Amino acid sequence: MRVRLDHDRPRRIGQPEAILCEGKALADLDAILGALQGRPTLLTRLAPERHAALAAPPKDYDPASRTAIVNGCLPARTGRVRVVTAGTGDLPVALEALRTLRFGGLSPDLIADIGVAGLWRLEEQIESIRDSDAVVVVAGMDGALVSVIGGLVGVPVIGVPTSVGYGAAEGGRTALNAMLASCAQGVLVCNIDNGFGAASAVLRILEARAR
Amino acid sequence: MRVRLDHDRPRRIGQPEAILCEGKALADLDAILGALQGRPTLLTRLAPERHAALAAPPKDYDPASRTAIVNGCLPARTGRVRVVTAGTGDLPVALEALRTLRFGGLSPDLIADIGVAGLWRLEEQIESIRDSDAVVVVAGMDGALVSVIGGLVGVPVIGVPTSVGYGAAEGGRTALNAMLASCAQGVLVCNIDNGFGAASAVLRILEARAR
Amino acid sequence: MRVRLDHDRPRRIGQPEAILCEGKALADLDAILGALQGRPTLLTRLAPERHAALAAPPKDYDPASRTAIVNGCLPARTGRVRVVTAGTGDLPVALEALRTLRFGGLSPDLIADIGVAGLWRLEEQIESIRDSDAVVVVAGMDGALVSVIGGLVGVPVIGVPTSVGYGAAEGGRTALNAMLASCAQGVLVCNIDNGFGAASAVLRILEARAR
Amino acid sequence: MRVRLDHDRPRRIGQPEAILCEGKALADLDAILGALQGRPTLLTRLAPERHAALAAPPKDYDPASRTAIVNGCLPARTGRVRVVTAGTGDLPVALEALRTLRFGGLSPDLIADIGVAGLWRLEEQIESIRDSDAVVVVAGMDGALVSVIGGLVGVPVIGVPTSVGYGAAEGGRTALNAMLASCAQGVLVCNIDNGFGAASAVLRILEARAR
Amino acid sequence: MRVRLDHDRPRRIGQPEAILCEGKALADLDAILGALQGRPTLLTRLAPERHAALAAPPKDYDPASRTAIVNGCLPARTGRVRVVTAGTGDLPVALEALRTLRFGGLSPDLIADIGVAGLWRLEEQIESIRDSDAVVVVAGMDGALVSVIGGLVGVPVIGVPTSVGYGAAEGGRTALNAMLASCAQGVLVCNIDNGFGAASAVLRILEARAR
Amino acid sequence: MRVRLDHDRPRRIGQPEAILCEGKALADLDAILGALQGRPTLLTRLAPERHAALAAPPKDYDPASRTAIVNGCLPARTGRVRVVTAGTGDLPVALEALRTLRFGGLSPDLIADIGVAGLWRLEEQIESIRDSDAVVVVAGMDGALVSVIGGLVGVPVIGVPTSVGYGAAEGGRTALNAMLASCAQGVLVCNIDNGFGAASAVLRILEARAR
Amino acid sequence: MRVRLDHDRPRRIGQPEAILCEGKALADLDAILGALQGRPTLLTRLAPERHAALAAPPKDYDPASRTAIVNGCLPARTGRVRVVTAGTGDLPVALEALRTLRFGGLSPDLIADIGVAGLWRLEEQIESIRDSDAVVVVAGMDGALVSVIGGLVGVPVIGVPTSVGYGAAEGGRTALNAMLASCAQGVLVCNIDNGFGAASAVLRILEARAR
Amino acid sequence: MRVRLDHDRPRRIGQPEAILCEGKALADLDAILGALQGRPTLLTRLAPERHAALAAPPKDYDPASRTAIVNGCLPARTGRVRVVTAGTGDLPVALEALRTLRFGGLSPDLIADIGVAGLWRLEEQIESIRDSDAVVVVAGMDGALVSVIGGLVGVPVIGVPTSVGYGAAEGGRTALNAMLASCAQGVLVCNIDNGFGAASAVLRILEARAR
Ligand SMILES: Nc1ncnc2c1ncn2[C@@H]1O[C@H](COP(=O)(O)O)[C@@H](O)[C@H]1O
Ligand SMILES: Nc1ncnc2c1ncn2[C@@H]1O[C@H](COP(=O)(O)O)[C@@H](O)[C@H]1O
Ligand SMILES: Nc1ncnc2c1ncn2[C@@H]1O[C@H](COP(=O)(O)O)[C@@H](O)[C@H]1O
Ligand SMILES: Nc1ncnc2c1ncn2[C@@H]1O[C@H](COP(=O)(O)O)[C@@H](O)[C@H]1O
Ligand SMILES: [Mg+2]
Ligand SMILES: [Mg+2]
Ligand SMILES: [Mg+2]
Ligand SMILES: [Mg+2]
Ligand SMILES: [Mg+2]
Ligand SMILES: [Mg+2]
Ligand SMILES: [Mg+2]
Ligand SMILES: [Mg+2]
């Protein structure tokens, strides 16, 4: 047995195991899909050409976010969540977060392209951000948007650094470190490009609240 | 004017500006304390000898967490929060988180010394951790405790990597990266040794929920 | 003479020189194969397309582990060895370890996909792991499985960090450092993705014991 | 001859050689001071205890910026320069920039403690910043202030990252990289904690303009 | 709305938002081009094959600098600007700077291939460099040209490290750090390969001067 | 309860929990010592001045290895173990390994100062090294001794990189990486300066063999 | 003029400028070749497909070392030089050194594949190495061969680290650092994969001696 | 036996083993000194307070270079060697090189403080540098002096990066990398601050030449 799914995860943490498709052999992905037994499951980081090469390519596939949803979404739940981006290059990561949130039963909003180099864009959207249960902030390069939003609103702020940028952007490490060392207090951070993880954290926050 | 406090922060984010004392001249700290005008304020990373050297050393000073509370705590609020440590060396950071939570009006619990090298200790405490509104996990070296707890409970998990360890522990960078790259989904991370930040994030989560 | 094999190695260390195929010109690999003179030899990191392009492609080639065995395996020896993986992405490295062990005359077992995000899977397998002469633990991302197993069993634990993961996983450096800085005592570590090296170390342990 | 001053520098670049005192033996500093021959000279990074230990401690010494001015300042020149800080910990570096500018014949202004965690402070000062010939922005931790100011004003913006912060602040490397990877276009950067260098660059800008 | 342009930027900083094309989806680039409404705009880091794949490929495209100019250049302005390179490999970055300067209304000069390994080449050109309003120095490997020019002329010196070189050149990080730690005082630095940023900084310098 | 010892560890892994004294408050160390209840325990990285400051300083304290043994050693066991050093600076780490082995019931030998810069020293000792059940190789700077010994003997080789050296030695990271990337097959590695860990691994190897 | 050759270099340093072809546009390489005017010139890091795409591909091209020689070699000179490799993967770099030495008028010897994992190979060759005017040691992974040779012979030892290896080999940085931190005294080091540089240094040594 | 000297080294490499005193216990240094048996020996990196604490402090001790010479120098030999520094802070490293050369029987010259920020100083000295058998170039910060000298003279150039500088100087790593990635061909490099190693390499060059 080369594949051992954690089918018990929903009972323990309220969310099913997601399948990180990058770095797994196609045959192993096929085996995993064959073992799902009707359980709702999210597939992440699944490139279009690998999706097409699966034995039974999932129908609900979205190439922009590189995600597939198998056996439908989780039951709907309430919660106002905003996913915010600094620039257009951050969109794929934001879309991964949005798909994960929808899989989790939410109806999140995207607020795109409000990076701090043109602060009026953020100011136009700030009330909607403030009026959230949680905000996911997706930003590369300097990652400065997390600090500015963290200083303007009191809701949970989850920063997702992206690998957007070159040179001193260091493949997302600069945005990551800047978010961790933010001058705004109480902002939290995910791995680089991990829109899935940020959304999964939002689900934890809303789940805990719902009890 | 060399000191400009952000007295408006409670209105915007529900928490007052905390004063990071490390790296500030004593005269500047005295000026800040003189400008507080009765507002409840938390001082962090204030070493005992520098506390003693202030013009008017705050009375409510705790050397183990290196924090001082001036003008009392914020109004009490409800919420079950656990602060968990992997080892004894992680205690100072956990104590900073606990003080910040108490300053914020909460009554958090400490669950100390349950690192994964002796898993039965974690198993003994897991129900109490599961039954929380948020759990702060403080761990150095391999940071593995975050992944194990993240796989066992569905509440918000906030990892605080510590600079405990030597060599490949890289001053906390290894625990930080391990938490960011955790195989458990939806765990969130703070800066190294930043117990204050983790607690401040918990306050955001509980604040948003309270509305 | 551009190729100089260490044909004396079995006498000195009990194992023949293995051929790392990555980074060698095809002509040089052909020359090496031509100089083996019937000695049992393991080829590692040999990509399928390069295997096919050799002058005389070895018949016993396994693309999943990227290994070839030429002139048969070493004499059978006794020893209970388990190769354990955290996730499906770690399989290729585990398969390299398994092939090397089989080449060395052993019959090792694979225990796949028991990462700490779903701890019950490890608990189901722990007796089999405890009842080993050595266990090879293959894990990427946070590398936490090494610490947990190292705390549960007293047999030699050899961690192999893998390059599975992205961002803060740092191409395997995070798992490597986490294993080196493990809170479990006496675990040992190999280079990233080096299943061959871990298996070779197991052979040293069993060889020394056999004397 | 162990000390060879570049007495020709004012002719070539319009500014005399400054003496970086850190890392030079006291005897060598004494020899340098003895060789100045009445030329106006700035000493930087001169710690108070080393200043006091010199054979002839310069009178115009400022411990907060760790600078000394020997043989007076350069002739007065015109130019509106602002030196801005994000937080109180950035003050020593800002003071080094201010002293260097005054040595260079200017009358710069300090705008302190306007970090982005409390954006209203920056908004209050933005007109004065916009109305400058150049602005030096001193910030540690996330370095975000450079990006926000760079997006609001069109004058030359010179970022000076500071070593303020801990953990992921990486001794100023995070602020440095964030400024280099800024989403605001055309901002320029100096070495970490190099207030002297930023001021010296301002002098180049004003010198070129004056011709 | 997935694209939100900062059309207000010329009013604030005197330069329009430039479009970084690398890392943006083609559909998003098409949307941006469609939203420009006749405003003069510079596109950077646009690879030839992606330019060709746009819905309406801009006509004024230069593959060597990977830039496109849409809706013409900004009004002409005065200023003597030199862009200097150390070696032939630095040319693409220098050409990006030159195109940005031309877009900004200037007529800059290129002085190519004057690296310090053959110092007579620099000496031949030094008067022309000294007689500038600003000089952009593009260099990879050791980045030494910035220090030598910074010691010879008093005009603003803007270093652009390039990713030219291998091994210890570290993808441009060595040149970047060498420029930041330069023994010449008051030189300023941009991100690796960021010819656009250096030119944009020159425009700030000339803009401030023009007022 | 701030201290929770893993008193069950000998049952699980055959060795008691060791106490890493560095980074723990003295009061916490006193509490740990008070809770040992007669169990044999090893204390590591205990500096002389901290040992002296304990409430009840353990009598069996060795300052050179910075270890203390409380309540005696474990029962004697058989096994020929050599601890080898490259240079004199590696001695403290080797002594930590030797003390841990003695605590574990063994009688190991030290072979000091046989670094590869003078290869005849190693050649003089090689038979004794070959005739071991395991060899611990302690080396800083280039760590080359591990590769040379790993190529000469077939017994388990455990490399311990040390922080000996300066500059490019990178505090032991160079020796660590060199051991991990060794051209000798099947050598295993511990954390930098971790003589304790290497010895603990030897105990695992001998324990498994004894069953 | 975009290409400015340093035709004066032979007069100053006794060797002509070599052309690093990697990272230069084909058109620029064509221009350089057109400007050589019969001067003997070495081209390095010229990939086969780029060589073939030149306007006038040099005839004396060697794909294994990726070098071309144009207009013949320099006059013959005397000197016994050995180029030594640790493993087969290091050959391309050694061949670059050998070609550069031949271009410089020497007749160097290759001693291949004598890495320290099989020390008898080095011992067989040591007299020939000792009897040299200079030895170039090309090694990747742990770079240990430099230390061992440096301890055995008194002639100039020039280490060339290679990018051979994976994981902790860090693209050659580990071998580089190990050579720099070598326990053998007086060994010198070049950039990673820089066979050309090592050979050029040998030419300096022989040139100085010849005067 | 805890100390094993390599008394055979002069026979093999023409130079005795030097004693790196940093990181060795005083008792071990005393044992080494007691075992020298009249052989001329150089002690390096011996801090003044540790020198004074030795059982029999060597008389020929120089605190500026932190070296001691025991039992006299090696026989005089011929050779014109220059040791060059960029700035005053590089002096201690240059002095270590000079002492090692004198110990080796040479009479080297110091040319101090000719860094590239004031190029005329180098130009004044260039004939003396060109007329050498080898030149040691000691420089911190940007390390640019090595590239400039390497382009001007054809003799062997040995760069010694120093830890002089702050921030992006990275403790000498920037100068080290800049020297390795130098645009001047055939320059060689030592470890950071390793004046001893550079001098020892010069002795190899002169020794080989003398045969
Ligand atoms: N995009 C993602 N980023 C990070 N972790 C993920 C992602 N997708 C799935 N995971 C988690 O990664 C773990 C990988 O385990 P495996 O699939 O067994 O290799 C699973 O437990 C998932 O919850
Ligand atoms: N221990 C701490 N760690 C991280 N940030 C802190 C800490 N204490 C206070 N802060 C925040 O650090 C920021 C620093 O601003 P300043 O004090 O102006 O330099 C403030 O906005 C605080 O909210
Ligand atoms: N200043 C120095 N820098 C680098 N290596 C040194 C220095 N001084 C002595 N050495 C060498 O360092 C090695 C250290 O070996 P040991 O003294 O046994 O630790 C000896 O072989 C010396 O040749
Ligand atoms: N605080 C400073 N930061 C960076 N460079 C400086 C500083 N102060 C002086 N310098 C420059 O550092 C160079 C160092 O040269 P030296 O004093 O000869 O070591 C001089 O040319 C100065 O212009
Ligand atoms: Mg945008
Ligand atoms: Mg504990
Ligand atoms: Mg799995
Ligand atoms: Mg403040
Ligand atoms: Mg050129
Ligand atoms: Mg020694
Ligand atoms: Mg080989
Ligand atoms: Mg100087």
Side-chain angles (χ1 to χ4, degrees), chain F residues 115-119 122-123 141-142 144 147-148 150-152 166 168-170 174 176-185, chain G residues 115-119 122-123 141-142 144 147-148 150-152 166 168-170 174 176-185:
Chain F
V116 303
L119 211 58
L122 168 58
E123 282 157 0
M141 309 210 285
D142 52 25
S147 293
V148 174
L152 290 175
Y166 57 90
E170 296 277 355
T174 293
L176 170 62
N177 281 335
M179 292 177 185
L180 288 164
S182 174
C183 60
Q185 67 203 60
Chain G
V116 304
L119 211 56
L122 168 58
E123 282 157 0
M141 310 212 284
D142 53 24
S147 293
V148 173
L152 291 175
Y166 57 90
E170 297 276 357
T174 293
L176 169 62
N177 281 335
M179 292 175 185
L180 288 165
S182 174
C183 60
Q185 66 203 60

Side-chain angles (χ1 to χ4, degrees), chain F residues 87-88 113 121, chain H residues 4 17:
Chain F
T88 309
D113 223 349
R121 300 176 298 186
Chain H
R4 199 181 312 253
E17 184 178 5

Side-chain angles (χ1 to χ4, degrees), chain G residues 156 185-188, chain H residues 15 158 190 196-206:
Chain G
Q185 66 203 60
V187 299
L188 295 170
Chain H
Q15 302 175 43
I158 300 172
C190 273
F196 160 72
S200 182
V202 170
L203 293 175
R204 285 177 181 264
I205 290 172
L206 293 175

Side-chain angles (χ1 to χ4, degrees), chain H residues 2-66:
Chain H
R2 281 168 44 155
V3 163
R4 199 181 312 253
L5 290 177
D6 181 14
H7 48 70
D8 179 55
R9 197 170 296 185
R11 187 190 61 78
R12 294 196 316 278
I13 74 164
Q15 302 175 43
E17 184 178 5
I19 309 301
L20 172 66
C21 298
E22 199 177 60
K24 292 199 171 75
L26 280 175
D28 291 326
L29 286 179
D30 286 335
I32 288 171
L33 287 172
L36 289 181
Q37 297 176 286
R39 297 188 205 92
T41 301
L42 177 71
L43 280 66
T44 63
R45 297 178 82 96
L46 177 59
E49 54 282 5
R50 301 194 83 220
H51 170 257
L54 288 171
K59 297 221 179 63
D60 185 355
Y61 176 69
D62 170 46
S65 63
R66 295 191 301 158

Side-chain angles (χ1 to χ4, degrees), chain A residues 180-186, chain B residues 4-6 9 13 16-22 24 29 32 42-45 67 96 100 191-197 200, chain D residues 86-90 113-115 117-118 121 141 164-166:
Chain A
L180 287 164
S182 174
C183 60
Q185 67 202 59
Chain B
R4 199 182 312 252
L5 291 177
D6 181 12
R9 197 171 296 185
I13 75 162
E17 183 177 7
I19 309 303
L20 172 65
C21 298
E22 202 176 59
K24 290 200 172 78
L29 287 179
I32 288 171
L42 176 72
L43 280 66
T44 65
R45 297 178 83 96
T67 55
E96 189 190 64
T100 304
N191 196 5
I192 297 166
D193 290 336
N194 192 4
F196 160 72
S200 181
Chain D
T88 309
D90 305 315
D113 224 350
I114 58 168
R121 300 177 295 186
M141 308 211 285
V164 165
Y166 57 90

